[in-house]
Amino acid sequence: MNFSRATALAAAFGVLLTAGCAARDRAPAHSAALDAPGARHSAKPRPGTRTPPPAPRTPRPDARPSPSERHAPPRTPSTPRKPGTPKDTAHAPKPATARAVRALADGEAPGAAALTTRDGRTYASGFAAAGVADLRTDRPITPADHFRAGSLTKTFIATVVLQLTAEGRFSLDDTVGRLLPDLAPGRTDPRAVTVRELLDHTSGLYNYTADPVLSRELHGAGFTAHRYDTYTPDALVRTALAHPPESDPGAQYAYSNTNYLVLGQIIEAVTGHSYAEEAGRRIIAPLGLSGTSFPGTDPRLPRPYGRGYSQVGEERVDSTTLDPSRAGAAGELVTTLGDLNRFFAALLGGRLLPPRQLAQMRDEKYTNGVYGLGLYGTRLPCGVTVWGHDGDINGSYARTAATEDGRHVLTLRLNTDQPDAPRRIEALLTAEFCPGGPRTPGA
């Protein structure tokens, strides 16, 4: 679980999952329409250190903590439909897209699903799924299923940060030392790191999820014993600062979840509210993302949801439930396919950021074309560039890609983490966004 961007950069992909899955019956690929439902369930309290597992009941997937109270913005309507248009107009996905989704489910993931939205018409989206959401029941994945989004959380956090810079609350060149004067250095002194360097992963801060002891608890052999532990952002940042820096600030790109934990602390210090509250007020409520939440320390997922599966050593583990405070502002989000499509359509369409800040978000010059500010571009074989992010957390992988104007968006999800399938994922994006697309997805 490294809550990281994977597909566009093969280097960022972990190979945690082996391909030797037991034989299982798979549900056939299907298509449907979406006007994504979902309950809003946001939480942000951060208790002490360890949270006992919930009472025996059907477990639910990961969640993420926030430094304040739970935030539950009111439900607001989604993108309005044209008069006389039925709510559930079915649109079949492109055949090549459906084939690419089936290829992903034929790998190590028990199930795969993708939702395509064009021109913001979330009520008439093309949905393709293959495999199963639950290995025990063989239930198929549905468009309404909630799942953990991992590092797709970073794009939400970056959007809030850039909104605050647009409001003049601070600048991209402001330092951690000025904005968080009480943050004590360890073997690394973060005080000279700028907001921009946190956003684009050029800070040099050690990635806390790589700490050997913590890594074992988060996704290694100690996962089962520690899956319900609660972690505070302060403790996780201290773990990172106890290591020497990866580089001097601004010297090079090195993906680090620590950067976004610190950005979450900056949001709270500047606004007086948790990052979850600010994202709820500024993004989730205005866009009507009724299936999206920051669950805090709640280990459950809102219904409906499928199971999440991780490979721990030689064993496949049901990792659906866990305390999401392990990820915080770096990867806590719970959401749906439709909500991610709505968010990226609004973001790239200019509804959330002024033009200057949106251009900064897509500017990858400080990372030599690798990563912008919470967003990155992927150039497909046909020459089309799509913009988005990906994320993995125990039991879940998701990826959103969209055209530069946000009018054509695809979100993929798998019910496993760190899939070893970069070629299959590229084949899916090529099938959807390139004229003609590939004949057969790569293996």
Side-chain angles (χ1 to χ4, degrees):
M1 175 197 65
N2 41 17
F3 329 120
S4 65
R5 65 154 291 187
T7 326
L9 302 172
F13 255 109
V15 264
L16 198 72
L17 219 53
T18 58
C21 300
R24 58 184 178 270
D25 295 334
R26 293 192 178 276
H30 57 280
S31 61
L34 170 71
D35 191 2
R40 176 167 296 300
H41 172 261
S42 297
K44 269 314 173 195
R46 293 182 183 270
T49 2
R50 185 183 285 259
T51 308
R57 60 182 175 194
T58 305
R60 293 141 173 146
D62 335 16
R64 191 77 67 205
S66 140
S68 179
E69 300 179 7
R70 289 180 183 273
H71 174 74
R75 179 170 182 153
T76 57
S78 59
T79 306
R81 300 186 301 277
K82 295 178 182 178
T85 304
K87 179 176 180 179
D88 294 319
T89 306
H91 281 232
K94 293 171 63 174
T97 299
R99 287 195 300 270
V101 170
R102 286 196 295 270
L104 282 162
D106 286 338
E108 66 271 24
L115 182 76
T116 302
T117 300
R118 290 178 179 270
D119 300 323
R121 296 181 301 158
T122 56
Y123 59 87
S125 301
F127 175 71
V132 297
D134 188 333
L135 288 171
R136 300 172 305 177
T137 65
D138 285 346
R139 178 179 81 77
I141 298 175
T142 74
D145 283 355
H146 295 81
F147 56 89
R148 301 187 193 282
S151 280
L152 280 153
T153 308
K154 291 180 172 69
T155 311
F156 283 71
I157 298 302
T159 301
V160 172
V161 169
L162 288 169
Q163 287 178 342
L164 291 169
T165 66
E167 294 164 10
R169 309 289 286 275
F170 54 85
S171 77
L172 292 178
D173 295 324
D174 272 326
T175 63
V176 170
R178 190 183 87 77
L179 298 172
L180 297 174
D182 296 331
L183 184 59
R187 294 181 69 187
T188 293
D189 187 344
R191 290 175 292 187
V193 171
T194 67
V195 172
R196 185 193 303 275
E197 290 161 351
L198 294 171
L199 286 166
D200 69 6
H201 299 289
T202 60
S203 69
L205 298 184
Y206 182 86
N207 185 1
Y208 78 90
T209 60
D211 176 81
V213 174
L214 196 55
S215 175
R216 186 179 183 277
E217 296 178 4
L218 297 180
H219 55 82
F223 169 72
T224 302
H226 293 278
R227 66 192 298 167
Y228 299 111
D229 288 5
T230 293
Y231 302 87
T232 67
D234 289 345
L236 296 176
V237 171
R238 281 197 303 272
T239 295
L241 298 183
H243 292 266
E246 298 289 342
S247 66
D248 291 335
Q252 65 181 35
Y253 168 85
Y255 193 94
S256 174
N257 291 297
T258 308
N259 293 319
Y260 278 73
L261 294 185
V262 176
L263 287 168
Q265 293 176 315
I266 288 173
I267 291 171
E268 184 167 14
V270 170
T271 67
H273 306 118
S274 73
Y275 61 81
E277 292 171 306
E278 287 296 315
R281 181 176 69 83
R282 294 168 174 269
I283 300 172
I284 295 174
L287 296 182
L289 306 184
S290 59
T292 299
S293 62
F294 288 81
T297 57
D298 191 337
R300 303 164 298 173
L301 285 179
R303 296 180 182 273
Y305 65 90
R307 315 301 302 173
Y309 300 96
S310 301
Q311 197 74 19
V312 178
E314 299 299 316
E315 182 183 4
R316 196 212 301 266
V317 173
D318 185 325
S319 52
T320 307
T321 55
L322 55 79
D323 186 317
S325 59
R326 60 186 50 215
E332 169 186 351
L333 200 72
V334 167
T335 189
T336 64
L337 293 170
D339 276 8
L340 284 176
N341 280 12
R342 289 189 186 96
F343 167 65
F344 277 90
L347 174 63
L348 294 167
R351 294 170 54 195
L352 294 174
L353 292 174
R356 180 169 181 259
Q357 279 69 34
L358 183 55
Q360 291 171 333
M361 196 175 219
R362 285 196 292 253
D363 186 354
E364 299 177 324
K365 67 183 177 186
Y366 295 99
T367 62
N368 296 317
V370 174
Y371 195 91
L373 305 184
L375 195 70
Y376 64 87
T378 301
R379 187 173 177 84
L380 299 175
C382 62
V384 171
T385 296
V386 289
W387 292 88
H389 211 289
D390 67 349
D392 62 75
I393 186 170
N394 309 74
S396 181
Y397 172 85
R399 169 84 185 267
T400 300
T403 52
E404 186 171 352
D405 59 5
R407 294 175 67 87
H408 183 181
V409 190
L410 176 143
T411 296
L412 156 75
R413 61 157 299 209
L414 306 173
N415 52 4
T416 189
D417 50 87
Q418 297 187 11
D420 185 20
R423 290 177 60 195
R424 287 190 176 100
I425 293 170
E426 182 183 280
L428 171 63
L429 300 183
T430 303
E432 180 59 37
F433 291 100
C434 290
R439 291 185 177 274
T440 10

